[in-house]
Amino acid sequence: MATLNLKNIQKIYPHSSDQKKAKKKKGEPEKKTNLQVTDQGVIAVQSFNLDIADKEFIVLVGPSGCGKSTTLRMVAGLEEISGGELYIDGKLMNDVEPKNRDIAMVFQSYALYPHMTVYENMAFPLKLRKMDKDEIDRRVKEAAEILDITQYLDRKPKALSGGQRQRVAIGRAIVREPKVLLMDEPLSNLDAKLRNQMRAEIIKLRQKINTTFIYVTHDQTEAMTLGDRIVIMKDGFIQQIGTPQEVFDHPANLFVSGFIGMPQMNYFNAKLVNEGGKYAVAVESCKVVLSDEKQKNLTAHKVQPQDITLGVRPSHMVLAKQPGNTLSAIIDVSELMGSEVHFHANANGKDVVVIVPTMNADGERIDSYHAGDKLNLTFSGNVCHLFGKDGKNLEF
Amino acid sequence: MNQVKKPVSVKKVILRVLLYFVVLDVCVITLYPYFAMLCTALKDRSEIFASIALGKSTILPVNVMWSNFIDIWSRAPMARYLLNSILIAGGSTVIAMLCGIPAAYALARMKFKGQTIFLGFVIVSQMFAPVVLLIGIYKVMGAMGLTDSILGLIFINAAFNQAFTVWLLRGTFMGISAEMEQAATIDGCTRVQSMLRVLLPVAAPGIVTTLIFIFINAWNEYTVALCLISTDTLKPLTVGINTFNGYNMIEWQYLFAASIFAIIPVVILFMCIEKNLVSGLASGGVKG
């Protein structure tokens, strides 16, 4: 139970001597990622500002190398903070040892102590705090009960399956009743089925223990299902902070719109026009007037008519019966998923994915479309996402 | 199908026979000196010098003289030599490990300037044969007043095994995920505690292997001990058994009986670590 304040947090990895030599020779070090490189070194995280409320579940999500794990490790104290301030419950924690931060962490690799039994693993942090033996026993058994690992307490980690090991790792973290529970991709090493199961377990666990969670993942499903708020990161920068619904409905930029949502959002080169005080988007022969909410947002930001990238989620594309004010596309592949069909189509050279229910409201079966068939696509004015040339959402 | 299979199986059989033949050869070549040593140790003095070629003796002892193994204890201070060897090998193992573990930990887990150069320097120090350095060692030990002392030998053996210790342990530590120690620091350990309570127990197989290896190396060391130690009661076994190699005659039966006695601890230790040694070297060599 704690509040966290991360103020302008920055992480710079200094150049190694080899890199410095290479830089002297070539003038510029080799760039392996899009991270910013300065004279001081590679900037892994910068301008990270986030206030986390008590008992909040925050998910840091982003592609590999975006700085999410680095941020978590800075909160844990495993990485030095190069700049900015970290407060836990109002106390500055930048130079406090990990053991004195009252945090617990679950690692992707479980990081269990292989020479200790499950019981000893879970009791280890409590023993180090010189807790009373009976209290240790009570806490370990209670945590084991919550995580359903009571029958494995005498076993060594090597005699457990991946899922059981991860439960032990979580158990070791929760016995301490820490202020903040950090989880670094805890489900990445598990197979798909177990991952779904453990995800549900974490949601249940959260209801049972009162603490603040920071959870790192690259899996958007985990981010959407677990987080109270999601922090989406790329190249060391925060792209957007918001509730799962907010980031899904109102992505701040092209990156967020593409990262959140499966399958990925469809993009079209379009024009934003203003006709008689009403904003509309025009893609080829299709023109759609935007919803009132969007009209209001665009007017408030005094957005000028311009060339834009229009984003529409696959599930928001609608099949029109007749051609007219529509986009035409030819189906490349049709995937029947049971209750819905995914059409991968080609609209004037652009790949478009359309998700439609197998049966429409009139009882017509839509899965009767096949590869090579023509689709007439349309969308309504409230599901358009408008991105300017710089990739930013024009409504923001 | 059968026609195709037959020649392959014949080839396999031939290869297998050849393999066994090679293995047998290697075994005979390797083990014969030990066999000869044992046979000689069990012979009477006159039997040793009787000619096998003329048929007056055989390789195997005619009269098995088990008493040779008892006689060596009264003819030389074997118990003293044994104690000295244990002190030297044990002491140098302890010192080499006490210095080697922190060094290997630092090299495996920390980044510092000149790390690569330091590692290279460590391995270079392993490349000198003790004989090359003998005069220098003698001078240094003389200056420190440790020429005729067990303590001097302990330091020298510890130093000679340091490079090996550092490299092997560094490999072992690098093969162990650092996340375990990080978990320990979050759980409440200091850095030293996380090393002592988590890293070292997990690295135990590698540590035991290194430990026994140093012990065996120090136990077998001969050259430096021969040059540095002049007092009879301070000699280790390797040098001490030379007592039977006298000015007037060599008492082969005692020399070999004492040699067999000296190699027994080494053989037992090797048997203990044989499996660990293979996995220890493998796990140390590859970053897991």
Side-chain angles (χ1 to χ4, degrees):
Chain A
M1 283 182 286
T3 57
L4 271 92
N5 306 92
L6 292 94
K7 288 188 178 164
N8 212 12
I9 295 283
Q10 192 180 37
K11 178 68 193 175
I12 302 172
Y13 287 108
H15 295 300
S16 67
S17 51
D18 293 346
Q19 281 169 324
K20 274 182 192 165
K21 276 180 206 162
K23 198 180 171 190
K24 269 183 192 170
K25 269 187 191 172
K26 290 183 189 169
E28 268 292 307
E30 264 184 68
K31 263 191 166 183
K32 284 181 184 159
T33 61
N34 292 322
L35 295 176
Q36 201 178 327
V37 181
T38 64
D39 283 345
Q40 292 169 291
V42 180
I43 303 179
V45 177
Q46 58 181 319
S47 316
F48 194 103
N49 288 294
L50 178 67
D51 293 324
I52 303 173
D54 188 21
K55 294 177 201 170
E56 197 176 15
F57 199 122
I58 288 285
V59 179
L60 305 183
V61 65
S64 299
C66 71
K68 54 191 190 300
S69 284
T70 309
T71 309
L72 190 80
R73 290 168 64 82
M74 283 195 281
V75 174
L78 298 174
E79 297 274 353
E80 208 178 309
I81 299 173
S82 312
E85 289 154 355
L86 165 72
Y87 294 94
I88 299 178
D89 268 348
K91 284 181 199 152
L92 185 66
M93 286 287 163
N94 283 38
D95 298 319
V96 176
E97 288 279 313
K99 68 185 178 100
N100 299 327
R101 291 189 185 198
D102 200 3
I103 44 148
M105 185 160 166
V106 179
F107 291 83
Q108 183 184 350
S109 65
Y110 322 127
L112 297 175
Y113 312 126
H115 57 295
M116 299 182 194
T117 62
V118 169
Y119 185 95
E120 287 164 343
N121 261 285
M122 288 166 70
F124 187 68
L126 305 178
K127 271 186 195 164
L128 287 169
R129 278 169 179 70
K130 304 207 163 54
M131 205 174 264
D132 180 53
K133 263 194 176 175
D134 295 337
E135 176 65 8
I136 293 178
D137 195 60
R138 187 189 68 75
R139 284 206 194 184
V140 169
K141 285 187 175 151
E142 194 182 291
E145 195 79 27
I146 291 174
L147 294 159
D148 197 19
I149 46 172
T150 312
Q151 65 271 42
Y152 309 122
L153 284 176
D154 295 332
R155 290 198 197 168
K156 292 260 174 79
K158 67 177 175 192
L160 301 178
S161 70
Q164 290 161 348
R165 283 181 206 185
Q166 197 53 277
R167 279 164 203 263
V168 178
I170 294 171
R172 187 178 64 187
I174 64 171
V175 284
R176 275 182 36 208
E177 297 170 5
K179 276 185 184 171
V180 189
L181 185 52
L182 310 174
M183 296 182 147
D184 190 3
E185 307 205 20
L187 308 184
S188 298
N189 279 3
L190 306 178
D191 63 53
K193 196 178 161 193
L194 205 53
R195 204 179 305 159
N196 286 342
Q197 199 185 326
M198 281 301 288
R199 206 170 59 215
E201 298 269 339
I202 290 175
I203 296 172
K204 277 189 222 159
L205 178 75
R206 200 221 157 163
Q207 290 158 357
K208 285 179 195 162
I209 59 167
N210 275 330
T211 195
T212 311
F213 280 77
I214 307 180
Y215 188 104
V216 162
T217 181
H218 60 259
D219 183 319
Q220 52 153 316
T221 319
E222 279 173 33
M224 297 291 280
T225 50
L226 292 171
D228 290 334
R229 279 194 297 159
I230 305 180
V231 179
I232 298 153
M233 294 181 73
K234 186 198 171 201
D235 300 338
F237 284 99
I238 293 180
Q239 301 293 313
Q240 190 172 6
I241 304 173
T243 64
Q245 200 62 52
E246 269 169 18
V247 294
F248 186 80
D249 290 344
H250 305 288
N253 55 37
L254 269 174
F255 173 78
V256 176
S257 70
F259 192 78
I260 300 289
M262 251 333 239
Q264 212 187 18
M265 189 181 272
N266 297 307
Y267 298 108
F268 304 95
N269 295 324
K271 273 189 170 42
L272 178 70
V273 291
N274 192 336
E275 290 169 347
K278 284 265 178 192
Y279 284 103
V281 282
V283 193
E284 294 164 28
S285 57
C286 173
K287 188 183 274 183
V288 175
V289 178
L290 298 174
S291 65
D292 291 346
E293 188 200 348
K294 291 192 187 287
Q295 298 285 353
K296 216 166 78 184
N297 290 339
L298 293 175
T299 314
H301 288 92
K302 292 175 187 158
V303 177
Q304 297 300 314
Q306 57 185 291
D307 287 342
I308 57 161
T309 302
L310 169 70
V312 183
R313 296 208 180 273
S315 52
H316 292 156
M317 303 286 294
V318 182
L319 295 188
K321 280 186 179 169
Q322 299 298 327
N325 189 18
T326 55
L327 278 169
S328 57
I330 309 291
I331 299 174
D332 287 332
V333 179
S334 151
E335 296 173 326
L336 181 62
M337 313 296 263
S339 60
E340 58 191 26
V341 198
H342 292 194
F343 292 124
H344 295 259
N346 188 318
N348 252 348
K350 279 260 176 197
D351 287 329
V352 180
V353 182
V354 186
I355 300 178
V356 286
T358 350
M359 207 173 274
N360 67 13
D362 302 332
E364 184 193 350
R365 282 194 74 81
I366 298 170
D367 59 347
S368 55
Y369 286 98
H370 298 292
D373 289 353
K374 194 177 159 194
L375 295 175
N376 296 311
L377 303 172
T378 184
F379 48 88
S380 64
N382 59 348
V383 295
C384 302
H385 302 280
L386 318 169
F387 303 103
K389 273 186 181 164
D390 56 359
K392 282 187 183 156
N393 194 326
L394 294 174
E395 290 181 68
F396 276 58
Chain B
M1 282 298 278
N2 278 345
Q3 278 178 337
V4 181
K5 260 189 176 176
K6 260 188 181 172
V8 174
S9 64
V10 168
K11 198 177 161 189
K12 267 189 180 172
V13 168
I14 293 172
L15 275 174
R16 188 133 283 224
V17 168
L18 268 174
L19 182 73
Y20 279 123
F21 187 72
V22 171
V23 170
L24 196 72
D25 270 3
V26 171
C27 286
V28 167
I29 293 166
T30 318
L31 292 176
Y32 184 75
Y34 295 96
F35 174 71
M37 199 158 90
L38 181 67
C39 291
T40 315
L42 290 171
K43 278 180 183 174
D44 188 320
R45 185 173 156 72
S46 55
E47 201 186 329
I48 292 170
F49 288 99
S51 169
I52 294 172
L54 294 176
K56 290 183 179 168
S57 179
T58 54
I59 293 172
L60 290 170
V62 180
N63 300 315
V64 179
M65 300 286 288
W66 291 108
S67 58
N68 288 346
F69 283 94
I70 297 158
D71 289 351
I72 51 171
W73 293 88
S74 54
R75 287 176 173 258
M78 286 294 285
R80 184 72 223 182
Y81 297 157
L82 179 69
L83 180 69
N84 292 343
S85 273
I86 291 171
L87 283 175
I88 293 164
S92 44
T93 306
V94 170
I95 292 179
M97 293 306 280
L98 284 179
C99 299
I101 288 174
Y105 177 81
L107 287 165
R109 291 284 188 260
M110 296 172 185
K111 276 187 176 177
F112 54 87
K113 274 187 180 175
Q115 195 167 19
T116 326
I117 296 170
F118 180 74
L119 267 172
F121 181 74
V122 169
I123 201 77
V124 165
S125 75
Q126 184 76 16
M127 290 173 184
F128 292 105
V131 184
V132 181
L133 303 170
L134 256 182
I135 296 170
I137 288 170
Y138 195 89
K139 283 248 174 195
V140 172
M141 288 293 135
M144 291 166 74
L146 292 172
T147 36
D148 194 19
S149 89
I150 285 176
L151 192 63
L153 273 186
I154 288 175
F155 284 141
I156 293 165
N157 278 306
F160 274 129
N161 286 298
Q162 198 61 83
F164 174 79
T165 313
V166 169
W167 271 84
L168 201 65
L169 289 179
R170 175 179 170 264
T172 307
F173 293 165
M174 283 176 82
I176 295 167
S177 162
E179 283 196 345
M180 250 183 270
E181 291 150 73
Q182 290 169 355
T185 57
I186 289 176
D187 279 348
C189 285
T190 60
R191 191 151 194 171
V192 176
Q193 277 179 320
S194 75
M195 183 179 91
L196 294 176
R197 300 184 73 154
V198 175
L199 180 67
L200 295 191
V202 176
I207 291 174
V208 171
T209 305
T210 316
L211 199 129
I212 293 178
F213 221 82
I214 306 168
F215 189 91
I216 292 170
N217 273 350
W219 182 274
N220 286 337
E221 202 284 320
Y222 174 75
T223 326
V224 179
L226 179 70
C227 296
L228 244 62
I229 305 286
S230 47
T231 311
D232 194 41
T233 51
L234 293 178
K235 285 176 182 169
L237 264 177
T238 44
V239 180
I241 53 180
N242 265 320
T243 312
F244 303 111
N245 182 4
Y247 286 114
N248 301 321
M249 60 174 184
I250 304 171
E251 296 190 273
W252 290 107
Q253 71 280 27
Y254 298 135
L255 194 61
F256 283 150
S259 301
I260 284 174
F261 179 71
I263 62 166
I264 287 171
V266 178
V267 173
I268 292 171
L269 283 178
F270 251 120
M271 279 160 70
C272 293
I273 61 159
E274 188 241 345
K275 271 185 190 165
N276 262 344
L277 187 68
V278 177
S279 66
L281 285 173
S283 69
V286 184
K287 192 173 176 278

